[in-house]
Amino acid sequence: PAASLLYPYGLDQRDHKNPKLDDGTSKKVSLSVPFTFYSKEYQTLYVNNNGVISFDTRVNQYTPDPFPLADGRPFVAPYWADVDNVLGGDVFYRETTDPTLLTSITKNINQYFPEIPFTATWAFVATWDHVAYYGSTTNKGNTFQAILTTDTKMSFIILNYWDIQWTTGAASDGDPETGLGGTPAHAGFNSGDETNFYNIPGSQTEAIINITKTSNVNVPGRWVFQVDDFKVTGVPTEVPKVADSNNCWL
């Protein structure tokens, strides 16, 4: 059922919450186990309000650039755009070894990657909950989530898109009334080596608003990747359509 797309999050899960600060970030998070991303091990990360989880360095930038980035910043961009949590919404995160959650993550990854023997022993869950866009004059909010998980050898990232109502903040030339236009959000991965990267189809186009309907694992709104030695699995070759009968904004 659609309601189970997001893994549990919030204060009742003992999540930390980012400060209410435009272009803000979490404090530096020291991980209890190293997370391998594109063959490099990282033990610190930041959860950045603008829809990015970055390794070793903060990301305050609000208008996304296409990958690969020239400056070598390694990061995961669930939905890189100009979030303003002062205007609305919250950014949550936690590191966890909760057995119930790990069982659920393991089951999902085994389902999507039946050839790969994987049992999650650790996870990091970051959730952007109904976050507003910079310059917004509406109550539109985006809810999405990124899960980093490992068995100490293999690493996976799960991206969940539950509700996406806007693509662009006003400082990225978006319309304050619609949250559309300008330079739309970017989703994907940047290894930092200028060679390895992945852009989710529709990134930086108006079609990114339909990311709740796309997937590489046949679960609308969910994208899953093995990232220790990056592999793109089952990715559709077709870019998502911009609008359907429910999206009459074109």
Side-chain angles (χ1 to χ4, degrees):
S4 64
L5 186 70
L6 295 176
Y7 297 102
Y9 69 93
L11 297 179
D12 61 342
Q13 299 293 322
R14 299 185 182 162
D15 277 2
H16 301 278
K17 193 161 78 164
N18 274 12
K20 296 278 188 184
L21 180 67
D22 182 42
D23 302 329
T25 74
S26 67
K27 63 180 175 47
K28 183 180 186 175
V29 181
S30 296
L31 306 178
S32 58
V33 300
F35 184 78
T36 305
F37 182 64
Y38 285 100
S39 306
K40 278 185 76 172
E41 284 192 351
Y42 295 96
Q43 260 189 286
T44 61
L45 58 74
Y46 295 89
V47 178
N48 304 277
N49 286 356
N50 290 337
V52 171
I53 295 176
S54 54
F55 300 101
D56 295 347
T57 182
R58 289 182 173 86
V59 174
N60 302 104
Q61 185 179 335
Y62 54 83
T63 300
D65 287 322
F67 298 153
L69 299 176
D71 61 11
R73 285 175 293 175
F75 64 67
V76 182
Y79 198 82
W80 185 12
D82 197 358
V83 169
D84 188 349
N85 65 347
V86 178
L87 291 179
D90 285 301
V91 182
F92 295 104
Y93 65 92
R94 75 183 179 280
E95 187 180 26
T96 180
T97 54
D98 173 58
T100 310
L101 180 71
L102 294 179
T103 299
S104 179
I105 289 171
T106 298
K107 184 179 161 193
N108 288 150
I109 288 176
N110 292 164
Q111 181 188 337
Y112 310 140
F113 300 86
E115 312 291 307
I116 301 173
F118 179 81
T119 304
T121 57
W122 171 93
F124 185 88
V125 181
T127 310
W128 287 257
D129 181 43
H130 202 74
V131 289
Y133 56 93
Y134 179 79
S136 171
T137 58
T138 71
N139 61 359
K140 284 186 172 187
N142 287 345
T143 300
F144 56 95
Q145 188 177 62
I147 291 87
L148 283 56
T149 186
T150 183
D151 64 358
T152 72
K153 294 184 177 64
M154 283 179 285
S155 307
F156 287 86
I157 292 179
I158 301 169
L159 303 177
N160 292 323
Y161 300 95
W162 177 240
D163 188 20
I164 299 295
Q165 300 181 356
W166 61 267
T167 64
T168 322
S172 308
D173 299 325
D175 183 326
E177 290 181 17
T178 63
L180 305 172
T183 303
H186 192 89
F189 299 87
N190 194 66
S191 70
D193 64 10
E194 297 182 34
T195 305
N196 295 294
F197 63 93
Y198 180 69
N199 299 314
I200 287 180
S203 285
Q204 290 193 8
T205 75
E206 54 198 1
I208 198 68
I209 199 151
N210 284 334
I211 200 167
T212 55
K213 303 184 181 94
T214 65
S215 176
N216 64 336
V217 291
N218 292 318
V219 178
R222 178 171 284 176
W223 289 76
V224 187
F225 302 90
Q226 184 179 352
V227 297
D228 48 282
D229 176 22
F230 190 72
K231 301 173 179 68
V232 174
T233 307
V235 170
T237 52
E238 219 180 308
V239 170
K241 300 290 184 287
V242 171
D244 59 21
S245 55
N246 300 321
N247 287 337
C248 51
W249 45 265
L250 277 189

